[in-house]
Amino acid sequence: MTVKAVRYYESQGLLKPGREPNGYRTYRDEDVAVVREVKALLSLGLTAEQTYPFIECLRAGNDRADVCPASLTAYRTRIAEVDRRIAELSDLRARLTDLLSDAESWRTRTR
């Protein structure tokens, strides 16, 4: 994890490190778990904002970040987004396939 990423998570309110008298940040084991969770969720295409329910679930003392109702809703929302994107890509593929077929048959007819 880069320092830049950790600072970004902090700016988004996902991390709340303590401060030493000299101003240095101190991170607890819970912060490490949050960083791991956020990183995993971002890899699934969730935005930083969409990770909040999961982080709140962890902070509520749960062993898993995805057992709370709000986390389950976030999963459902992301699945719906993926389904919409799949539909868009399927439509795009069909249109491209039709164009390719038409172009190939036109080329054959004009020879």
Side-chain angles (χ1 to χ4, degrees):
M1 185 60 48
T2 66
V3 171
K4 184 176 179 180
V6 172
R7 297 290 183 266
Y8 174 73
Y9 297 166
E10 186 179 346
S11 75
Q12 295 299 303
L14 297 169
L15 285 177
K16 298 172 185 171
R19 293 283 182 162
E20 295 290 323
N22 61 6
Y24 288 2
R25 292 170 175 85
T26 57
Y27 297 97
R28 302 174 313 263
D29 290 340
E30 297 84 26
D31 296 320
V32 174
V34 166
V35 168
R36 285 188 182 126
E37 189 66 31
V38 170
K39 186 176 179 183
L41 292 166
L42 293 176
S43 76
L44 296 172
L46 277 78
T47 65
E49 184 176 320
Q50 290 170 322
T51 67
Y52 290 132
F54 298 91
I55 303 314
E56 292 305 314
C57 192
L58 278 179
R59 287 190 178 134
N62 295 290
D63 292 334
R64 290 181 54 160
D66 60 359
V67 296
C68 297
S71 301
L72 300 175
T73 298
Y75 274 153
R76 288 184 188 100
T77 299
R78 181 64 184 137
I79 290 168
E81 291 168 357
V82 169
D83 286 343
R84 278 191 297 279
R85 187 66 180 137
I86 288 170
E88 290 170 4
L89 289 171
S90 293
D91 180 57
L92 176 59
R93 186 182 192 289
R95 291 183 3 228
L96 286 167
T97 300
D98 289 346
L99 288 169
L100 174 61
S101 178
D102 184 55
E104 287 175 336
S105 66
W106 179 83
R107 190 169 182 238
T108 304
R109 288 190 311 258
T110 59
R111 288 186 180 192

